[in-house]
Amino acid sequence: MQKKILIIGASGQIGTELTIKLRALYGNDNVIATDIREGSKALMLSGPFEILNATKKEAIKALLLKHQIKDVYLLAAMLSATAEKMPQKAWDLNMNSLLHVLNLAKEGLISKIFWPSSIAVFGPNSPKKDTPQYTIMEPTTVYGISKLAGERWCEYYHHKFGVDVRSLRYPGIISWKTNPGGGTTDYAVEIYHKAITNGTYTCFLKENTRLPMMFMEDAVAATVQIMSTTKSSIRIRSSYNLSAIDFTPQEIALEIKKHLPNFTIKYAPDFRQEIADSWPQTIDDSHAKKDWHWKHNFDLQNMTIEMLKNLKLKYHSTPEMQNL
Ligand code: AKB
């Protein structure tokens, strides 16, 4: 019998697409989506959904028992820019939800956990280029501090209690189905929307700010891959560096201009510039390549084609379609 999966934070940017992918792979009824708010129509109509507050351990436990869940994907989190505005709330959400899930696994109620970390675990003293798996960390954002602490907890629970927890340090994720919310890399999604709707975009980062990024399809593929790899291949139990592409606002704008020649960009850096400046520009993901054969598919060119094609369809379709 196919084991059941619980997604916590399913209505968010990654949660939506990961849930839909896992439903396609393992059967709609076997993937229980949960979030504090309802998600897109595609998410809500494709399988079971329950409202869940990820900071409530007993509520998570009740759902595990009700649906006989085995694997949990914990995606609920407050991202970098929002977390700077509400540090305590961000810490409580990001840490408590993880500790609840780790403890429920320790108690024998969960067999496998996926929990995302981020490039935000690195800080201004980390090497900027080809940032290695093991190096100086020292994050300077609340979000980064919570992700680094979370990584240490994951490794601790694995070594002390044998919890099978697997994690990836996601770069900025670019997608057209669901918008990101509250991140520093969000500009790389907004720019495509504005290119289509307004023909112009004002970027909150400087033109030459290089950051590691990835197309959603690759992020979902990496997540499915690490979760289906044999236990013994997962040699890193904190979180794996994961890399695909990197670019600056100026470079993505030039790529968009190839398809929309009249597109213009302006720059008005705000507090998010300091966050971006503290992060790596490129990431060395050789451990993921070696341990579970990670390989990305999308570069800036084919990602831009996909983004513009799908967003054009979305904006020029019926209101029902726009909600998908
Ligand atoms: C953010 O910008 O906060 C996130 C991340 C890099 O983890 N997209």
Side-chain angles (χ1 to χ4, degrees):
M1 204 179 84
Q2 175 58 47
K3 61 184 176 182
K4 298 237 174 166
I5 294 171
L6 186 75
I7 317 277
I8 304 176
S11 302
Q13 187 200 15
I14 299 171
T16 301
E17 298 207 30
L18 185 61
T19 304
I20 289 166
K21 180 70 183 180
L22 293 174
R23 283 179 173 162
L25 287 172
Y26 304 121
N28 287 355
D29 291 342
N30 295 319
V31 182
I32 320 300
T34 72
D35 203 297
I36 197 134
R37 61 185 164 93
E38 289 195 352
S40 67
K41 272 205 180 129
L43 178 86
M44 303 303 292
L45 297 179
S46 60
F49 178 89
E50 303 241 15
I51 292 288
L52 175 70
N53 179 340
T55 63
K56 306 280 182 220
K57 186 179 176 202
E58 287 311 309
I60 303 174
K61 186 172 175 178
L63 283 184
L64 295 177
L65 295 172
K66 176 176 167 192
H67 294 283
Q68 297 290 298
I69 302 287
K70 290 277 178 242
D71 294 354
V72 173
Y73 293 67
L74 171 59
L75 303 165
M78 202 182 284
L79 299 188
S80 57
T82 312
E84 289 307 296
K85 295 179 183 155
M86 319 180 210
Q88 186 64 53
K89 216 170 161 192
W91 179 258
D92 290 346
L93 170 63
N94 296 1
M95 280 296 86
N96 292 341
S97 58
L98 175 61
L99 285 169
H100 293 336
V101 170
L102 289 171
N103 281 320
L104 288 162
K106 180 184 158 199
E107 291 161 27
L109 282 134
I110 300 170
S111 46
K112 212 190 308 178
I113 301 169
F114 177 77
W115 175 78
S117 184
S118 159
I119 54 160
V121 293
F122 298 108
N125 297 324
S126 310
K128 288 262 174 251
K129 294 204 171 29
D130 281 336
T131 309
Q133 176 73 37
Y134 301 107
T135 186
I136 297 170
M137 311 297 280
E138 300 177 2
T140 49
T141 63
V142 175
Y143 173 65
I145 296 169
S146 75
K147 287 294 179 189
L148 183 56
E151 286 190 6
R152 304 318 307 148
W153 279 122
C154 288
E155 196 183 274
Y156 184 86
Y157 270 70
H158 177 73
H159 288 305
K160 283 264 171 184
F161 311 117
V163 169
D164 187 358
V165 53
R166 304 168 183 210
S167 177
L168 300 169
R169 289 175 180 155
Y170 286 136
I173 307 291
I174 293 143
S175 62
W176 58 268
K177 282 189 191 149
T178 314
N179 286 334
T184 302
T185 57
D186 293 9
Y187 92 84
V189 177
E190 286 171 16
I191 192 170
Y192 288 111
H193 285 262
K194 293 289 181 201
I196 287 171
T197 56
N198 295 10
T200 183
Y201 176 61
T202 303
C203 185
F204 57 75
L205 297 182
K206 287 187 206 154
E207 62 189 80
N208 55 357
T209 311
R210 182 171 302 282
L211 287 170
M213 300 277 186
M214 179 177 285
F215 191 46
M216 178 62 87
E217 230 170 271
D218 278 332
V220 168
T223 310
V224 170
Q225 210 179 325
I226 194 174
M227 284 299 271
S228 42
T229 299
T230 50
K231 211 169 169 178
S232 56
S233 309
I234 309 293
R235 306 173 82 86
I236 293 175
R237 292 294 181 160
S238 52
S239 190
Y240 277 93
N241 273 10
L242 189 72
S243 170
I245 47 182
D246 57 273
F247 51 79
T248 64
Q250 188 177 43
E251 287 167 1
I252 191 174
L254 280 174
E255 197 55 40
I256 291 172
K257 255 171 136 11
K258 287 186 193 163
H259 305 272
L260 302 169
N262 295 330
F263 174 65
T264 57
I265 183 163
K266 283 186 281 197
Y267 300 94
D270 65 15
F271 73 100
R272 289 169 280 194
Q273 185 66 46
E274 195 183 336
I275 301 178
D277 287 341
S278 77
W279 288 352
Q281 296 180 350
T282 60
I283 297 283
D284 169 15
D285 62 355
S286 47
H287 286 270
K289 287 185 174 125
K290 183 161 69 68
D291 291 358
W292 42 276
H293 314 296
W294 160 244
K295 192 173 167 297
H296 72 274
N297 273 318
F298 284 84
D299 56 20
L300 179 58
Q301 287 74 31
N302 51 19
M303 179 181 80
T304 299
I305 291 170
E306 282 297 301
M307 287 296 288
L308 293 177
K309 182 182 77 190
N310 287 296
L311 286 177
K312 268 185 200 160
L313 281 174
K314 203 171 173 179
Y315 280 113
H316 300 136
S317 63
T318 59
E320 286 77 34
M321 282 282 293
Q322 288 169 18
N323 202 16
L324 286 178

